[in-house]
Amino acid sequence: MLTFLLILVILIGNLVTRGVMRYPFTEKQISSLLDEERCKSPDIVVGLQWGDEGKGKITNALADDYQWIVRYQGGSNAGHTVYIDGEKFVTHSIPTGILNPNCKVVITHGCVVNIPEIIEEVKLLEKNGISFENRLYLSENAHLITPEHLKEDKSNQVKFGSTGKGIGPAYRDKIYRAGLRVKDYPQGIDEDKIIVTDTRKLLRDAIYKGDRVLFEGAQAVMLDIEMGTYPHVTSSPCIASYAPAGSGLPLSFFKYSSVVGVAKAYTTRIGTGPFPSEIKNKRIAKNIQFTGKEYGATTGRLRKVGWLDIPQLKYACEVNGVSSIALTKLDIFSEVDYEIKIATEYKVNGKWTTDYCDEPESIRYESFSAWPEITETDWDGLPDNLKKYVDFIEDSINVEISMLGTGQNRNQLLYL
Ligand code: IMP
Ligand code: MG
């Protein structure tokens, strides 16, 4: 009789708990949620060169399919420029998803924040008609950039050509366990507009609920503290695999994530450090800088320009696990009067290779002819020379190119 009662209690207990899922979910439960598409893996947009590839534009174009856009590293050193109907918007600390009216945006603990600067950014965007009603969430654990950090970074700016935004000193203090966090911020933050909260829980619940989340990377792999051209890098990890750690979401959530890597049709770099495929011809470099508006959105500095670089891009795709590439600024080579080049191989220790290194002995290039102005909006109608250029890149790195940027406006984007 006693055994029978015991079995009955266990059976009823099982029935009660089976239907109810409690945090933390088990690996199996997460998997079944992902498979049922109730709980979706977040996707990630990352830069594949030295930053300024047009991540803002790509994020903005993709964002309508997501409820949450998340910054997981860096700070106001970023400058994301987006043109909507000819109007220019620049964001620094705030994710560009703020420009998509249906998105909520999150700045996680992986970021460093300069509060007065974020308040200014909010004001400026509001002036341009952007609403901040229940839309901007800031992690209480994000580290603060203090006036001392700013002073120090500005006086030391020459060393790595930093943006002078206090990023390095703020991350240094974080790592040295001497940092201050948003929860330590002395003056009040207008919580009507900047909602300070536990963004880990916020995103966890959003994903459990089935909301779609898009992580928006800043800077890029070659500026990544771990994987970039150290020490000429920024002070945070910029690659896709930092999205889980920088937000506190478990790896199991990322089972079906797509990583959209953004690359320009050429390369640019601000600041100091290795830049193997830099264009030595001053006339060509100037032409690209001018037509491509290659000066920093944050600092106004002129960017150095280089040819698209296969060993570099291959490295970037490997490190980020890129699912597909958005190739931007193809219009910059429309109707140019010079040959366009792509770096295809590096000579290292006397041998030719497609593996990236910071200082190859020499570089092999392939030449391409320019194409006419791009007016068509589907692949078949595109100029043959442009198609050759895109196919060559795709074949060389064996990663699908899924979007082409053909002009600065948000609608000048071709989906392949
Ligand atoms: P920091 O991030 O300000 O410390 O600067 C370190 C290096 O990263 C410098 O060479 C900067 O020019 C570069 N950098 C930082 N943020 C960006 C960006 O958003 N785009 C391009 N370069 C950047
Ligand atoms: Mg930028």
Side-chain angles (χ1 to χ4, degrees):
M1 185 64 182
L2 205 65
T3 323
F4 173 73
L5 271 178
L6 205 66
I7 291 172
L8 201 69
V9 167
I10 291 171
L11 273 178
I12 292 173
N14 258 346
L15 278 178
V16 170
T17 49
R18 188 171 287 166
V20 187
M21 305 237 295
R22 291 215 188 85
Y23 299 138
F25 289 178
T26 63
E27 191 77 21
K28 216 167 143 193
Q29 285 170 327
I30 290 171
S31 280
S32 78
L33 280 176
L34 289 172
D35 291 339
E36 284 168 24
E37 302 215 334
R38 259 204 291 142
C39 167
K40 296 241 180 99
S41 286
D43 295 327
I44 309 170
V45 171
V46 283
L48 296 182
Q49 294 156 330
W50 280 269
D52 308 306
E53 299 91 352
K55 294 180 290 294
K57 177 186 167 128
I58 300 302
T59 305
N60 181 252
L62 297 174
D64 287 339
D65 291 336
Y66 298 84
Q67 284 80 48
W68 301 88
I69 312 294
V70 184
R71 270 285 302 273
Y72 59 97
Q73 46 78 220
S76 54
N77 47 351
H80 293 156
T81 310
V82 181
Y83 291 85
I84 302 174
D85 300 328
E87 198 180 343
K88 181 176 171 179
F89 295 88
V90 183
T91 62
H92 295 283
S93 294
I94 301 174
T96 46
I98 200 73
L99 305 176
N100 300 64
N102 298 324
C103 293
K104 292 176 191 271
V105 302
V106 183
I107 302 172
T108 71
H109 66 257
C111 301
V112 287
V113 292
N114 178 342
I115 300 287
E117 216 173 38
I118 295 187
I119 292 171
E120 276 309 302
E121 206 176 323
V122 168
K123 277 192 197 148
L124 209 69
L125 286 164
E126 271 187 323
K127 255 194 213 154
N128 288 315
I130 307 296
S131 154
F132 279 85
E133 211 174 304
N134 286 324
R135 295 190 63 209
L136 171 59
Y137 296 82
L138 169 62
S139 168
E140 59 198 5
N141 290 330
H143 276 248
L144 295 176
I145 298 169
T146 64
E148 290 72 33
H149 290 150
L150 283 172
K151 215 166 124 195
E152 184 185 344
D153 200 26
K154 280 200 181 113
S155 66
N156 210 10
Q157 209 176 351
V158 194
K159 207 164 161 195
F160 298 117
S162 98
T163 58
K165 295 290 182 178
I167 307 298
Y171 275 115
R172 179 205 54 210
D173 282 355
K174 172 179 177 172
I175 302 301
Y176 198 57
R177 291 152 298 174
L180 292 171
R181 291 177 287 177
V182 169
K183 59 170 105 168
D184 305 315
Y185 191 69
Q187 292 102 40
I189 299 170
D190 181 357
E191 293 232 22
D192 279 346
K193 296 187 179 153
I194 304 171
I195 305 159
V196 175
T197 189
D198 181 339
T199 54
R200 180 191 77 82
K201 281 193 198 155
L202 182 76
L203 290 169
R204 174 199 70 184
D205 291 345
I207 290 181
Y208 282 165
K209 211 170 84 190
D211 280 359
R212 306 283 344 257
V213 176
L214 181 66
F215 283 87
E216 175 185 0
Q219 291 85 45
V221 56
M222 304 314 277
L223 292 173
D224 181 289
I225 183 80
E226 304 283 355
M227 305 311 297
T229 54
Y230 190 88
H232 302 275
V233 291
T234 189
S235 301
S236 66
C238 317
I239 58 174
S241 45
Y242 194 62
S247 63
L249 295 179
L251 258 189
S252 48
F253 275 16
F254 291 79
K255 189 174 170 190
Y256 298 122
S257 295
S258 293
V259 178
V260 179
V262 189
K264 259 194 292 224
Y266 47 94
T267 55
T268 58
R269 157 155 226 172
I270 288 198
T272 53
F275 192 39
S277 65
E278 183 168 3
I279 297 173
K280 300 284 175 343
N281 182 313
K282 286 209 171 78
R283 184 183 74 88
I284 296 177
K286 267 195 185 144
N287 175 276
I288 296 175
Q289 280 167 334
F290 181 72
T291 45
K293 299 194 177 121
E294 294 300 350
Y295 39 84
T298 301
T299 57
R301 288 179 292 177
L302 205 60
R303 298 174 185 143
K304 287 184 268 186
V305 291
W307 299 115
L308 187 124
D309 182 340
I310 295 294
Q312 185 277 313
L313 201 56
K314 187 171 84 78
Y315 172 76
C317 288
E318 282 173 16
V319 166
N320 282 293
V322 169
S323 327
S324 70
I325 294 177
L327 191 65
T328 62
K329 290 199 153 183
L330 283 153
D331 53 305
I332 303 310
F333 288 140
S334 290
E335 295 179 325
V336 295
D337 62 359
Y338 50 81
E339 276 193 328
I340 305 159
K341 292 191 176 159
I342 291 180
T344 55
E345 280 183 296
Y346 288 3
K347 196 179 207 178
V348 184
N349 298 328
K351 286 198 181 118
W352 289 101
T353 172
T354 55
D355 281 340
Y356 177 80
C357 78
D358 285 343
E359 282 164 2
E361 288 143 25
S362 63
I363 299 181
R364 250 183 207 150
Y365 290 92
E366 181 92 15
S367 294
F368 296 81
S369 304
W371 42 83
E373 203 186 328
I374 309 162
T375 49
E376 292 296 324
T377 53
D378 67 14
W379 174 256
D380 289 339
L382 289 178
D384 282 344
N385 285 344
L386 185 150
K387 285 202 250 182
K388 266 188 219 157
Y389 189 76
V390 173
D391 281 342
F392 183 86
I393 299 167
E394 199 171 62
D395 292 346
S396 305
I397 50 172
N398 206 17
V399 178
E400 181 198 356
I401 296 178
S402 58
M403 283 185 246
L404 301 179
T406 58
Q408 70 181 16
N409 240 315
R410 103 163 246 190
N411 58 357
Q412 289 175 297
L413 199 58
L414 243 91
Y415 296 82
L416 307 181

